[in-house]
Structure formats: structure tokens, C-alpha cells
Amino acid sequence: MKIHAPLLPLAVSMIAGIWMSQRIDDWLVPLGVLAIVVVTICCIGRYPRLQTAGIIVGTLLLGMVLGSRQRQQLNVEWSQERQLMEVVVTSEVKVKEKTVVFDALTADGQHKLRCSIQRDNDSEQIQIGQGLEVYTRIKKVHEYHNGHFDYLQYMLCHGFTGELYAYSNQWQWQTVSLKELSTTDRLRLRFLVWRHELLEHFKRQDMDEDAYSVITAMTLGEKTTLSKELKDTYSQVGASHILALSGLHLMIIYSVITLVLGWHHYRMATQIMAVLTIWAFALLTGLSTSVVRAAFMISVYALLSLGYRERMSVNTLAFVAIVLLAINPMAIYDLGFQLSFLAVLGILLIHPLINNLIAPDVQLRHRWLSSAWGLVTVSIAAQIATAPLIAYQFGRFSTWFLLSNFIVIPMAWLLLNIALLSIVFFWWSWALNGLLAILTWLATTMNHALEWVAGLPMSSIEGINLSTVQLYLIYIIVGCLWIAISLRFPATRRSG
């Protein structure tokens, strides 16, 4: 089976270069080698194969340059003395037993910090968008490992350069000028303040706690209120992806918008409005790595649809990966980024092999069968691609994932649509109360249904302990099986 995806080797080369950058102290060295490679490529135009090899090597070096440079920027040496610093709160505040924890940007926009403030009546009132003046020491992000989870790597890939802890007498509220922040940061902060207002409005509706947690996680990306028991239930049945905003959620929103507008004679206007809405939603949810990835991929999808081209392919996926890694090289260490790309890759490559087990003409005659079978095959394809990594990270395999997806995907579609309506009718209290009542019922029903699935025999296999080498070997075996089946049944192939 032949896949036409010329950008795939470049994406793999860039990923390899970023990974190798961990062992490089000075990014100027690979930059110098890259300059030599670029000049060489320009001089060997008569030898296309050598030129192709040079481009792949150049992309590898580019990944090394970008990864090493970003690591150097994030590796800030803070003073051992206490210092006065103005910061702006940029996340929802999480109240713990002894501290309140939140993310903040320095007033000059140069550093993102994880802040812990001693808990008291004043610190409990801190809200997103507020300015604080803090007088304390700032430390480098500390190292912590829990199984395969690397806390330092996690913090770096999310752009944190330091951590601080302040006692009650070491901080105060302060009006902070935002003019030094970038336009993107100011816009993101404005949308996050609006999101906070929506969250506060939801809280005032006296909703069931678990229902509120699921609704806000699925619609606004706010997961700090999810209880450990609820997260464990969703993880046990293989439905954790529904709580993390990703391509599934944004694709539902995109589909609804294009369906509602339905301007077939104004395709460009429809797609522009849909994409703008998607990015506004991404800003509202805080521009997390997974949401940005999904929003960018949908933007490419919409652009390709204007040219009536195949909207999604392995080549498109590789292009999205290259662009996003060029912007944020450390994203390759983000688990959500890894799982989302593996899921899409699995759907693109494995889904066609499984889907054709039922003849296409039979599916055309029975639309209900086609829809149900499509959900099954897409779920299996995504599970095959992501299950090894999930088992590696969490030591768990969910055996009832198909049943869980039949529950959560239709309900997620309903929940997101009604949530969009509740935002549109935010000003109309009567309609809003009715919509929130429906949202609460949907979320509660979904929670109870998944609790029932979690109670089924052998709902998950626990205690899986994979090494890194075993993980790589599993994916090599899956790749070899895919190649073998594709060659054996060429009618199922799909061009990339």
C-alpha cells in the first residue's frame, strides 16, 4: 500500500530533532550545521535524491535548533534573594488545604509562573485577571517523577519558567498595567475573564456538583472541580477523552455551525465564520495545547474544503504537526498532544481497513447501519492507536471502551449543542434556566451510565507495567500488521 504523504518524513525528522535537543547545550551549533546543509541543498539541485535526503537532515537539525533554543529560554536562573514582582492571574484559582494555587504571567509578559499563596480569607478571594504584587523568592520548576509522569517536562511543555510560594504578608492586590503583554496574551486574558463569569453564573444555579464539573470540563475546559472518583470512573471505562477539550469537541461545534449556517452558495463566508467561532471558543477555553492543535487542524480542514480537496489525510496531519512544533517544540512532551495525533493517525490509517469489512454498498442502503458501524470502527481505530500509550502512562486498559463511546459521544453532541445555546441565551434568564436544567440532566445521566459500565465485570485491566522499549515494540508490531493487512487487502487502502 502506498501512501502519498511527503510531509510525513519531515514531521518525523522534526520530532526526532526536538527529542535529540535534550542533549544539546548550545543551539547555535546545530544552527551553524543547518546553514551549511541549506547551502548544500541549493547547490545539488541536479541530484533530487540527495536533495531530498538533505531536506530531511535539515529538518532534523531545525528540530534540534528549535528544541534547544526553547529549553534555553525556559531554563531561567532566578536570584536566590527575595524580589518584588508584579503578576497577573491567568488561570482559575484552585483552593487546597493550606494554599491557593494558580498560574500567573509577569507584568512584562516574559515569564509564566506557578504560584502558591498561603490560604486565608484574602487569598481565597483571588480571581483570574487580577493583578498582584508579590515579594518572595522565585525558584526553578522542581523535578518530580511518578511512574512515567515527568513533572518538570510537563511544566516546560506548558511554558512555565518558575514557581513561587508566598506567605500572607508577602503579597497584596495591585493594579498591573497590561501594555507589556502581547496582543495574544491580552486577548486570551480577556476571554478567560469572560469564561470566569460564565463559570460563576453556572455555580449560582445550584447544580449537582458532579454534573457541574462535567459540564464545565466539556464546554469550558475547566477541570479543577472534577472529583478524583469521577475522573477515575471516566478513566476506568475509557471515556477520559470526553472530559478534555480536543478535536472531538471542536469538530462537533464546527459541524453544528456549518449545518446551521448552511450557506451552500456562500461556502467561503460559511467556513470563515465557522473557523472564527472555533478560534473564539479556543480563546474562551484558554488556548490549551490540545485545543490549539484541534483548532488549527479544523482550520486546515475548512481551507481544504473550499478547494473541494480531500479534507484530512496523513499529509495534512503531518503539516499540522510541523507547524505546531515549530511554534512550540516542547509540545511533543504533552500527553494530550501525543494522544490526539495518535488517535487521528489511527483513524486515518486503521479505520478504512476495518470499515470495509461491511461492504460499502450495504452501508449505503442502510444509513443507520453505516452510522453505527462508523462509530464502532472509528472507536476501534482510535483505541488501537492510543491504548499502548495509555497503558504505558496509566497502567490501565479499558475493556468496555466501545460501550462507553456509544454512550458518551451522542450525549457529548447533545450536551455541547445545548451548552452553545446557553451561551447564546446568556441574557435571557428563563431560557437559560431551562437549558441548564437539561444540561444537568444530561450530565447526571451520563455519569450514572458510566458508573454502571465501570461496575461491569472486567471493566478494566489494571496494573499494566510497560517499559519504554516495550511501548516502542508494540507500536512497531502494530505498524507491521497494518502494512501486512494493507498489502493483503489492497482494496481497503486509502491514499494519504
Side-chain angles (χ1 to χ4, degrees):
M1 173 179 176
K2 184 179 180 180
I3 295 181
H4 182 66
L7 292 179
L8 183 59
L10 300 184
V12 173
S13 296
M14 178 171 281
I15 291 171
I18 295 170
W19 179 78
M20 292 169 63
S21 69
Q22 299 178 74
R23 295 160 177 79
I24 298 173
D25 296 326
D26 188 358
W27 58 273
L28 292 175
V29 175
L31 180 63
V33 180
L34 176 60
I36 296 172
V37 171
V38 170
V39 172
T40 304
I41 291 172
C42 295
C43 296
I44 57 173
R46 296 172 59 185
Y47 305 96
R49 291 186 179 179
L50 287 176
Q51 196 172 46
T52 300
I55 292 172
I56 292 174
V57 172
T59 308
L60 177 77
L61 291 166
L62 178 62
M64 295 169 68
V65 171
L66 294 174
S68 179
R69 184 171 181 271
Q70 188 174 38
R71 279 182 176 277
Q72 194 174 72
Q73 290 174 338
L74 295 173
N75 186 25
V76 179
E77 294 295 336
W78 295 99
S79 170
Q80 296 300 308
E81 303 296 325
R82 289 192 295 178
Q83 53 186 301
L84 187 65
M85 183 165 290
E86 292 183 342
V87 300
V88 181
V89 182
T90 58
S91 74
E92 293 296 325
V93 175
K94 187 173 184 179
V95 180
K96 296 189 174 182
E97 183 179 355
K98 296 181 179 181
T99 60
V100 295
V101 181
F102 54 88
D103 303 337
L105 270 179
T106 55
D108 58 7
Q110 297 297 312
H111 301 288
K112 184 178 180 182
L113 306 173
R114 174 62 54 86
C115 304
S116 299
I117 307 291
Q118 184 178 14
R119 181 179 176 183
D120 57 23
N121 291 333
D122 287 336
S123 61
E124 289 180 2
Q125 306 306 313
I126 296 174
Q127 294 183 2
I128 192 169
Q130 291 181 334
L132 305 178
E133 189 177 69
V134 184
Y135 183 66
T136 187
R137 282 198 309 156
I138 301 175
K139 300 179 181 179
K140 295 178 68 172
V141 178
H142 70 280
E143 293 193 30
Y144 168 73
H145 295 271
N146 184 9
H148 295 296
F149 174 71
D150 187 333
Y151 175 76
L152 175 60
Q153 203 78 275
Y154 170 84
M155 294 291 281
L156 290 178
C157 76
H158 287 85
F160 289 94
T161 58
E163 299 173 316
L164 68 81
Y165 177 85
Y167 291 99
S168 299
N169 62 347
Q170 293 180 322
W171 73 274
Q172 63 181 5
W173 277 286
Q174 176 70 32
T175 301
V176 177
S177 172
L178 304 181
K179 64 180 182 180
E180 296 296 325
L181 299 185
S182 67
T183 303
T184 301
D185 284 333
R186 290 200 300 271
L187 189 62
R188 175 177 174 271
L189 190 59
R190 170 54 59 189
F191 273 83
L192 285 174
V193 171
W194 289 341
R195 185 185 77 151
H196 177 77
E197 293 173 358
L198 284 172
L199 289 170
E200 289 298 311
H201 188 82
F202 284 163
K203 284 182 181 178
R204 291 194 292 269
Q205 303 307 309
D206 194 27
M207 301 168 65
D208 174 78
E209 187 175 342
D210 283 345
Y212 167 83
S213 299
V214 170
I215 291 168
T216 53
M218 289 180 58
T219 59
L220 295 172
E222 177 52 46
K223 297 190 291 183
T224 58
T225 59
L226 288 167
S227 66
K228 183 180 182 301
E229 294 76 15
L230 191 62
K231 287 191 287 188
D232 191 62
T233 297
Y234 275 74
S235 175
Q236 187 176 344
V237 299
S240 293
H241 61 281
I242 212 70
L243 296 176
L245 286 176
S246 61
L248 172 65
H249 303 75
L250 267 65
M251 201 64 196
I252 290 174
I253 295 172
Y254 170 81
S255 301
V256 170
I257 293 170
T258 52
L259 181 65
V260 169
L261 294 178
W263 298 345
H264 300 295
H265 297 295
Y266 303 97
R267 290 177 57 85
M268 182 171 290
T270 301
Q271 295 301 320
I272 289 174
M273 291 187 66
V275 168
L276 288 176
T277 304
I278 289 295
W279 280 103
F281 181 78
L283 281 165
L284 188 65
T285 57
L287 289 180
S288 66
T289 303
S290 59
V291 172
V292 169
R293 190 272 315 164
F296 185 74
M297 187 171 288
I298 290 174
S299 300
V300 175
Y301 180 91
L303 178 63
L304 292 174
S305 71
L306 293 176
Y308 298 92
R309 297 174 62 87
E310 184 181 6
R311 299 188 185 186
M312 189 50 62
S313 65
V314 175
N315 205 48
T316 306
L317 183 66
F319 170 74
V320 173
I322 290 170
V323 173
L324 293 182
L325 290 177
I327 296 171
N328 179 20
M330 300 298 292
I332 66 166
Y333 301 107
D334 180 65
L335 182 60
F337 184 90
Q338 297 167 5
L339 288 173
S340 61
F341 271 94
L342 281 173
V344 176
L345 186 63
I347 292 169
L348 290 172
L349 296 181
I350 301 172
H351 163 67
L353 302 181
I354 307 173
N355 192 60
N356 281 352
L357 292 176
I358 295 180
D361 58 323
V362 175
Q363 295 188 47
L364 286 173
R365 289 198 303 269
H366 305 282
R367 292 291 183 181
W368 62 270
L369 174 63
S370 178
S371 299
W373 180 240
L375 179 57
V376 169
T377 55
V378 166
S379 298
I380 292 175
Q383 188 74 8
I384 290 173
T386 58
L389 182 57
I390 292 173
Y392 173 78
Q393 290 287 348
F394 304 110
R396 166 179 286 167
F397 176 75
S398 304
T399 55
W400 293 101
F401 68 90
L402 268 179
L403 179 58
S404 301
N405 281 331
F406 269 104
I407 294 171
V408 299
I409 291 179
M411 297 198 77
W413 190 89
L414 288 171
L415 200 147
L416 280 170
N417 280 298
I418 296 171
L420 285 174
L421 284 176
S422 67
I423 293 174
V424 171
F425 291 104
F426 181 78
W427 53 274
W428 188 4
S429 60
W430 181 83
L432 181 61
N433 290 335
L435 291 170
L436 291 179
I438 297 173
L439 279 175
T440 303
W441 179 83
L442 282 171
T444 303
T445 302
M446 184 166 67
N447 289 342
H448 290 331
L450 293 182
E451 288 172 2
W452 171 77
V453 175
L456 293 175
M458 293 293 293
S459 60
S460 69
I461 300 172
E462 304 289 339
I464 301 173
N465 186 17
L466 292 178
S467 68
T468 305
V469 173
Q470 289 172 327
L471 176 68
Y472 291 156
L473 287 175
I474 289 173
Y475 276 114
I476 290 171
I477 292 170
V478 170
C480 291
L481 287 173
W482 176 81
I483 292 172
I485 294 172
S486 300
L487 293 174
R488 178 64 180 83
F489 303 101
T492 63
R493 70 187 180 190
R494 178 175 176 174
S495 174

